[in-house]
Amino acid sequence: MKRFAAALVALIWFTLPVQAAVDVQTVETPGGIKAWLVEEHSIPFTALEIRFRGGTSLDREGKRGEVNLMMATLEEGAGEMDAQGFAEARDDLAASFNFNASMDTVSISARFLSENRDEAMALLRQAIMQPRFDADAVERVKGQVASILRSKATDPGDIASEVFYKMAFGAHPYGSDDNGTFESVEGLTPEDMFAAKDRVMARDRLYVGAVGDITAEELASLLDDLLGDLPETGAALPETVEPALMGGLTVVPFDTPQSVVLFGQKGIKRDDPDFIPAYIANEVLGGHGDSRLMEEVREKRGLTYGVGSYLVSFDHAEMILGQFSSGNEVVAEAVNVVKDEWAKFADKGLTQEELDLTKTYLTGAYPLRFDGNGTIARILVGMQMDGLSPDYIKTRNDLVNAVTLEDVNRVIKRLYNPETLTFVVVGSPEGLQTN
């Protein structure tokens, strides 16, 4: 029975059709918890996404990695169950719980069948409200984190990210690895796990999205039972920080046949009125396979297998970032091509043809994002955290289509600055040195 139920859940999770229309309801529970809901009763299954603003940026001084470790240990036993007992109870219900931490959020993703809803949520409540954080479980997960840190120390891409973010953000939490260091993680205790949970899991920073076989009334009751006893307030959020990217190139020597290059500059806030034009601009420059950077660096010159750029909108900082890898003998040429394209883009902007093609691509691809209950639940939470309205899904393509060539080129002039474009190169690049 367990094997059949698990197979059914897997089938549901991975074969749901693309949603043609997403009708978002806003829900407020009797206890005051707010959520967004998309009802879909064709399959007896629900996806629940719970997210708390703050994330690993709320680590206490000297305890870097505590929030990450706490989330990784959260399901290692709850109530009367140890780690094995909790896992068996979850599997018997054919449910799935994922606990994740990132720089700005911690999240809980739950998937469960309608027939097991009450039991699955009772089990999840134990993980949230009655975690054990047994000393042996904490030590076991600390070992896993240490393994991750050892791996990252020998990965040129991870080294490039560590150096770049340290340059950009310094002592701000964004400037360090949210896994922590060997020393900080080694010093963490079960008591630190309980303290970290109370810092990040509070109702004043809670966002919820639900998709599937559940009504608004059922969801309201579920959420009050599941989350109603959380603390009202959590730790203060960190300060806003300006990325200290003033241009130049930093080379980090590393013995590898290919150099990894990370480049970027200051970006744009998600709630900026110019965000949609900026998003279109980045799509032309480096956002997809037909972008200018791909054309110039890969297609014309064969200097890399792939290069791209993207907008990064943290809660407290913004950047435009890009990355590629090239052979040590050609990476200097590739860096110069990126610099040249960035400068041309800042100076000349894009063409009407590029704008029209990008609009067609973006508006056509957007509905494809809504390809399953879990994905939609995550999108609903992200929209709430970005301050968007429930009808954004229906109006987003209109916003894209409304952007004019004048709009996007004005934003390019405002945003792109080749003088502050900053590079970090990890490898043994020929003809490149720190400047």
Side-chain angles (χ1 to χ4, degrees):
M1 178 62 185
K2 184 193 302 185
R3 184 175 301 173
F4 173 77
L8 175 60
V9 172
L11 180 66
I12 291 171
W13 291 348
F14 295 111
T15 62
L16 281 175
V18 173
Q19 304 287 322
V22 179
D23 184 16
V24 180
Q25 303 177 57
T26 58
V27 176
E28 184 167 356
T29 75
I33 296 173
K34 296 180 180 179
W36 287 9
L37 167 66
V38 174
E39 291 190 44
E40 172 52 59
H41 298 287
S42 62
I43 299 175
F45 158 77
T46 300
L48 180 66
E49 186 76 12
I50 302 165
R51 203 171 299 173
F52 300 88
R53 192 185 296 276
T56 62
S57 65
L58 297 183
D59 283 343
R60 292 172 293 174
E61 185 175 354
K63 294 185 180 293
R64 192 63 168 135
E66 67 174 346
V67 171
N68 176 73
L69 182 65
M70 181 273 295
M71 290 301 292
T73 316
L74 200 60
E75 63 177 336
E76 296 290 321
E80 298 298 320
M81 295 170 286
D82 61 11
Q84 182 176 349
F86 185 89
E88 289 176 351
R90 180 199 60 214
D91 293 346
D92 283 341
L93 295 170
S96 171
F97 308 141
N98 290 309
F99 302 85
N100 295 296
S102 67
M103 203 71 77
D104 286 324
T105 66
V106 297
S107 61
I108 302 168
S109 303
R111 312 288 184 265
F112 48 89
L113 297 170
S114 298
E115 64 182 272
N116 296 333
R117 179 195 300 155
D118 292 345
E119 295 89 346
M121 291 300 94
L123 184 64
L124 180 59
R125 189 184 191 283
Q126 289 193 63
I128 296 172
M129 301 306 303
Q130 303 176 51
R132 291 166 58 115
F133 297 129
D134 292 332
D136 60 339
V138 172
E139 289 301 314
R140 181 171 62 254
V141 179
K142 283 165 64 173
Q144 296 168 1
V145 174
S147 179
I148 292 170
L149 291 173
R150 284 191 293 270
S151 176
K152 295 181 77 169
T154 61
D155 183 281
D158 287 322
I159 295 170
S161 293
E162 180 180 359
V163 172
F164 192 96
Y165 278 79
K166 185 66 175 178
M167 289 171 53
F169 299 118
H172 191 277
Y174 292 165
S176 61
D177 189 339
D178 55 8
N179 286 285
T181 65
F182 291 108
E183 293 77 15
S184 67
V185 172
E186 180 58 31
L188 296 174
T189 67
E191 290 72 27
D192 292 326
M193 301 300 94
F194 287 105
K197 188 181 85 71
D198 288 342
R199 289 174 66 79
V200 299
M201 289 191 182
R203 290 181 51 170
D204 66 336
R205 61 204 60 209
L206 170 64
Y207 300 84
V208 180
V211 181
D213 184 30
I214 190 169
T215 66
E217 293 76 15
E218 290 167 338
L219 178 62
S221 176
L222 181 156
L223 292 177
D224 275 344
D225 289 343
L226 181 65
L227 305 171
D229 291 335
L230 286 172
E232 284 295 328
T233 59
L237 298 175
E239 298 292 326
T240 295
V241 58
E242 286 278 329
L245 301 174
M246 303 307 295
L249 182 145
T250 299
V251 174
V252 180
F254 192 82
D255 186 16
T256 179
Q258 281 201 328
S259 291
V260 172
V261 182
L262 193 61
F263 57 93
Q265 60 152 88
K266 181 182 175 181
I268 185 171
K269 295 180 183 295
R270 178 61 184 86
D271 61 358
D272 191 296
D274 284 335
F275 182 83
I276 294 293
Y279 187 83
I280 293 173
N282 175 74
E283 198 66 29
V284 173
L285 179 61
H288 64 280
D290 294 326
S291 69
R292 288 192 184 183
L293 291 179
M294 282 289 285
E295 175 68 18
E296 295 297 328
V297 182
R298 175 182 174 174
E299 300 301 331
K300 288 186 178 180
R301 297 171 176 84
L303 301 175
T304 183
Y305 287 112
V307 57
S309 62
Y310 43 96
L311 303 183
V312 176
S313 296
F314 292 128
D315 282 355
H316 310 288
E318 306 78 37
M319 294 188 293
I320 307 172
L321 288 183
Q323 185 170 356
F324 65 90
S325 299
S326 289
N328 289 322
E329 70 282 1
V330 297
V331 67
E333 181 183 358
V335 167
N336 286 330
V337 173
V338 171
K339 288 181 179 179
D340 289 344
E341 289 305 309
W342 210 271
K344 290 177 187 176
F345 197 63
D347 183 39
K348 302 294 185 182
L350 50 82
T351 67
Q352 186 66 52
E353 181 182 13
E354 287 176 316
L355 176 60
D356 292 341
L357 287 172
T358 302
K359 284 183 178 182
T360 299
Y361 169 75
L362 290 176
T363 56
Y366 187 63
L368 302 180
R369 296 183 181 184
F370 302 91
D371 62 351
N373 287 11
T375 301
I376 298 172
R378 288 191 295 272
I379 291 172
L380 296 183
V381 171
M383 288 170 57
Q384 293 175 68
M385 297 190 74
D386 286 340
L388 301 174
S389 65
D391 67 350
Y392 178 79
I393 295 170
K394 298 177 181 178
T395 63
R396 182 267 195 182
N397 279 354
D398 292 336
L399 296 174
V400 171
N401 284 324
V403 174
T404 67
L405 186 64
E406 181 181 3
D407 291 332
V408 72
N409 283 337
R410 172 186 56 79
V411 173
I412 290 170
K413 287 284 189 183
R414 168 196 164 188
L415 191 60
Y416 285 83
N417 185 352
E419 297 301 319
T420 61
L421 183 61
T422 303
F423 290 81
V424 169
V425 182
V426 177
S428 303
E430 297 178 12
L432 284 180
Q433 57 185 6
T434 297
N435 59 39

